[in-house]
């Protein structure tokens, strides 16, 4: 199984969770709920991807992590395979989605 195939399993679950959270956010709250989240999530994604690029390249260069060349796509950011960045994107989508689905930001009735 290639790394992209493995990522696909995780990303499908993340995508389904994200879509469900978006529906809950729009239906259960103000219609601009998703728009208000766009900037914070975009900044978080940029920072997390930059840190992933930095630390993955360090870990690979010192030999802490290795990849089977036959299982990677061949696309790299530095020496880190592109497949590694799927987990950073998954984290940016999954955590706020689960938070939304669990109702953490709903106001309690008074």
């Amino acid at each position: 199984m290639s790394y992209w195939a493995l990522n696909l399993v995780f990303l499908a679950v993340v995508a389904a969770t994200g879509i469900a959270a978006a529906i809950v956010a729009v239906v259960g709250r103000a219609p601009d709920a998703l728009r208000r989240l766009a900037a914070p999530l975009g900044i978080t994604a940029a920072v997390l991807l930059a840190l992933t690029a930095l630390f993955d390249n360090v870990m690979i260069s010192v030999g802490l992590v290795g990849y089977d060349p036959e299982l990677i796509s061949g696309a790299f950011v530095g020496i880190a395979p592109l497949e590694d960045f799927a987990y950073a994107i998954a984290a940016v989508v999954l955590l706020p989605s689960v938070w939304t689905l669990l109702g953490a930001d709903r106001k309690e009735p008074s």
Side-chain angles (χ1 to χ4, degrees):
M1 175 182 280
S2 72
Y3 293 114
W4 275 122
L6 181 62
N7 284 345
L8 185 59
V9 173
F10 291 103
L11 292 175
V13 172
V14 169
T17 306
I19 291 168
I23 291 168
V24 166
V26 170
V27 171
R29 293 170 188 78
D32 65 338
L34 294 177
R35 189 180 32 183
R36 285 185 286 124
L37 288 174
L41 289 178
I43 293 167
T44 301
V47 169
L48 196 53
L49 288 170
L51 290 172
T52 300
L54 173 69
F55 288 108
D56 279 9
N57 277 284
V58 169
M59 289 188 301
I60 294 166
S61 68
V62 299
L64 188 62
V65 178
Y67 296 92
D68 183 347
E70 293 184 16
L71 299 178
I72 59 175
S73 64
F76 296 92
V77 174
I79 58 173
L82 194 57
E83 292 91 323
D84 266 2
F85 294 86
Y87 299 105
I89 296 297
V92 169
V93 173
L94 189 60
L95 184 60
S97 296
V98 170
W99 188 261
T100 298
L101 291 173
L102 292 176
D105 58 349
R106 291 187 192 137
K107 295 181 180 175
E108 295 295 323
S110 14

